[in-house]
Amino acid sequence: MKMYVAGQWTNGRDSIDVLNPYDGSVVDTVPRGSADDVDRALASAERGAKVMAELTGFERYEILHRAGDLILRDQESLARMLTQEEGKIISEARFEVSRAAEILYLSAEEAKRLGAEVIPLDGGPGVKDKFGFTVRVPCGVVAAVCPFNFPLHLVCHKVGPALAAGNAVVVKPATDTPLMGVRVIELLLEAGAPEEAVHIITGPGSEIGDALVSDPRVRKVTFTGSRDIGERICKAAGIKKVTMELGSNAAAIVMPDADLDKVAEVLPQTAFANAGQVCISTQRLLATGSVYGDLIDALKPKVEAIATGNPLDEATGMGPMIRESDAARVGEWIDEAQAGGAEVLVGGGRNGQMFEPTLVTNVSPDMRLSCDELFGPAVGVTRVADIEEAIAISNDSNYGLSASIFTESLDSAMRFIRDVDSGNIHINWGTQWRTDLMPYGGVKDSGLGKEGPKYAVEEMTELKMVVMHL
Ligand code: NAP
């Protein structure tokens, strides 16, 4: 595939192989973009931003809505390519494709809703004969830096609102999974997006990232990825708007009054989807009071039943991790936990990039398996005394993206909602659940700002205040 820069499909000086994480085969190649490509894209995007700002809300709505239709038209081929480049099982890939269309439909609606607000200035002391209102305008050029794990869904969460708000956008997809981003740009152009309004530059973030995010022509950086790269981008970006969707080590608390059948049904989905490579995967399970033994007994057979294998095979329940080095790291953290007294109850084995779904018990909160972001298919179970300790351990993290509690007690649920440090909170579900219209984002090192088209459009626009002196 080529990248799309300054209105043209273009090759770089060199190319990069996109590998299938399951068997190492070459799925496709993409160009290795350079700082020169970034410069050309931004010069063009500045012109594209002017074109976008002149489109009416309804015209932007039509483009995004048509692009959603085109995603659904190509649903199955997109899903297969997504599985081949990322390694998630085909049913998860199909779901990601349908959500991508939904995000573009939601964004399309937001293009019609960039309304103003009348500000009652005469509420200020001594203010009379003034009329005030706000006007929301596009930022201009948005740089969208995307991670490997939802290469279609998260590109749409950035491109959809950016265009809805009347901006031009330059996408930098992850080098491991760039193909979905390229397909999104193709479909947007087919849907009628102005040719200088959308760009995609493939290539290593370490080589082109600084040139993109630090450039003053970019007025907004929206990033999803790891905490450390996020911090680096914030420093490089300087004074411009940023949205940071970063990592976590999400904890689910199980209270003694929880419905354990439900816990056992739900947790494997929320911990092992996409081989645990989801920012809100349930990584820590905090078993409160007497529930520890029953919880493990209920979960063990469910985790054992997850079949690993070829993610294109409909019978497979979990595919490979993205890179062998990450699978090896998961193994190291589990070994380290075992050396400290934890026990591997299910799984623990690795074959290349395929890491078995793993349940580790007797995990203590200071182990790396608990206190760092694992981003792999293992859950650590920790015994805690009561809800106070459970919430304290849940909060004892630099992160705060998602947290959950299983309980039949309204008091425990309300206390958890009040005291837990987390951007997303789930009662009687695992930490991994999202529908695309909701505000989504973390606290602490999990990030800044919110996604979800309605909220992202606010982040991708500037608010002007107008005062008419009558
Ligand atoms: P990553 O290594 O941080 O990479 C994310 C993106 O940043 C990639 O496109 C990467 O390019 C690029 N990049 C790397 N260095 C850069 C630089 N100096 N300047 C600009 N861009 C640079 O993350 P990942 O491994 O792809 O994704 C996993 C992480 O994303 C996890 O921490 C996960 O929790 C987080 N995540 C968060 C959310 C959320 O909504 N909060 C959702 C999904 C994932 P290359 O690929 O070329 O290195």
Side-chain angles (χ1 to χ4, degrees):
M1 283 185 164
K2 295 182 177 180
M3 56 187 182
Y4 189 75
V5 176
Q8 295 198 320
W9 290 104
T10 170
N11 286 312
R13 286 186 202 125
D14 199 356
S15 68
I16 300 173
D17 289 342
V18 180
L19 302 179
N20 182 330
Y22 176 63
D23 58 14
S25 60
V26 177
V27 183
D28 210 326
T29 60
V30 290
R32 190 181 199 104
S34 64
D36 285 349
D37 296 313
V38 171
D39 184 52
R40 284 191 307 117
L42 292 178
S44 168
E46 276 201 310
R47 294 189 292 272
K50 291 201 176 85
V51 176
M52 282 303 294
E54 279 171 17
L55 294 182
T56 66
F58 191 75
E59 287 166 334
R60 300 196 301 273
Y61 159 83
E62 285 187 310
I63 293 166
L64 288 164
H65 202 277
R66 269 197 299 269
D69 290 346
L70 294 175
I71 283 186
L72 292 182
R73 180 197 68 188
D74 294 352
Q75 191 156 20
E76 189 58 20
S77 64
L78 284 167
R80 294 185 77 78
M81 186 187 277
L82 171 51
T83 287
Q84 285 172 311
E85 76 166 336
E86 204 272 347
K88 65 183 52 171
I89 58 174
I90 187 70
S91 57
E92 290 175 17
R94 289 191 186 113
F95 186 46
E96 180 166 344
V97 176
S98 66
R99 285 179 68 185
E102 174 66 11
I103 295 161
L104 296 186
Y105 292 144
L106 289 166
S107 300
E109 290 300 327
E110 293 308 322
K112 298 190 278 189
R113 294 178 189 155
L114 289 174
E117 185 187 1
V118 172
I119 308 295
L121 297 179
D122 65 356
V127 179
K128 206 165 180 272
D129 295 333
K130 313 280 178 196
F131 184 72
F133 60 95
T134 58
V135 179
R136 202 169 266 288
V137 297
C139 290
V141 177
V142 173
V145 184
C146 306
F148 79 84
N149 62 336
F150 285 88
L152 177 59
H153 173 261
L154 291 174
V155 167
C156 289
H157 259 303
K158 298 184 180 327
V159 170
L163 297 180
N167 299 292
V169 64
V170 180
V171 177
K172 199 326 251 163
T175 300
D176 287 312
T177 57
L179 305 179
M180 285 296 104
V182 175
R183 290 288 289 125
V184 169
I185 299 299
E186 282 174 2
L187 294 174
L188 281 164
L189 290 167
E190 187 181 342
E195 57 179 29
E196 292 193 297
V198 289
H199 308 256
I200 184 161
I201 306 178
T202 52
S206 54
E207 294 172 17
I208 57 176
D210 281 353
L212 178 63
V213 302
S214 66
D215 195 292
R217 289 170 289 186
V218 171
R219 294 314 310 150
K220 162 81 192 180
V221 178
T222 171
F223 171 75
T224 301
S226 58
R227 183 216 164 278
D228 291 354
I229 300 289
E231 186 173 42
R232 187 192 159 115
I233 288 177
C234 284
K235 286 181 180 152
I239 300 178
K240 51 177 71 108
K241 287 167 84 94
V242 292
T243 296
M244 290 281 136
E245 298 285 348
L246 311 177
S248 83
N249 59 344
I253 296 171
V254 183
M255 297 296 290
D257 61 5
D259 174 349
L260 285 189
D261 291 339
K262 183 171 182 184
V263 177
E265 210 49 57
V266 163
L267 264 174
Q269 303 165 37
T270 75
F272 300 106
N274 200 19
Q277 299 165 117
V278 183
C279 49
I280 46 178
S281 266
T282 307
Q283 177 178 331
R284 300 180 287 159
L285 199 50
L286 307 179
T288 313
S290 56
V291 82
Y292 188 83
D294 291 343
L295 171 65
I296 287 168
D297 290 347
L299 262 183
K300 185 170 178 275
K302 300 286 185 185
V303 180
E304 285 169 339
I306 300 171
T308 56
N310 185 345
L312 281 174
D313 183 340
E314 306 279 349
T316 298
M318 199 187 87
M321 293 187 68
I322 190 74
R323 301 172 210 104
E324 186 162 0
S325 57
D326 280 317
R329 177 183 52 77
V330 169
E332 281 163 26
W333 289 19
I334 290 172
D335 290 348
E336 226 176 83
Q338 275 181 299
E343 289 163 42
V344 174
L345 195 67
V346 181
R350 175 172 81 86
N351 180 8
Q353 277 157 253
M354 193 71 79
F355 203 95
E356 289 173 347
T358 299
L359 190 58
V360 187
T361 56
N362 272 333
V363 170
S364 71
D366 57 348
M367 292 173 175
R368 228 173 351 159
L369 183 60
S370 179
C371 61
D372 272 357
E373 181 179 35
L374 180 73
F375 221 58
V379 181
V381 192
T382 301
R383 198 191 291 266
V384 293
D386 51 27
I387 190 165
E388 283 85 16
E389 193 190 6
I391 294 175
I393 291 177
S394 182
N395 287 346
D396 186 17
S397 166
N398 293 335
Y399 295 114
L401 186 55
S402 187
S404 85
I405 189 167
F406 289 88
T407 179
E408 295 299 305
S409 153
L410 189 57
D411 279 355
S412 298
M414 291 308 295
R415 181 166 186 178
F416 176 72
I417 292 166
R418 190 192 60 196
D419 293 344
V420 78
D421 300 335
S422 179
N424 296 289
I425 296 172
H426 297 279
I427 311 300
N428 287 329
W429 204 263
T431 53
Q432 190 191 144
W433 193 92
R434 179 180 186 184
T435 192
D436 294 293
L437 55 76
M438 69 193 218
Y440 180 90
V443 300
K444 303 198 282 190
D445 281 5
S446 289
L448 308 166
K450 297 285 180 199
E451 285 197 339
K454 175 179 169 192
Y455 309 93
V457 158
E458 286 176 11
E459 310 256 358
M460 294 182 183
T461 45
E462 302 280 3
L463 205 57
K464 291 182 177 174
M465 175 70 214
V466 183
V467 181
M468 298 178 70
H469 300 262
L470 306 173

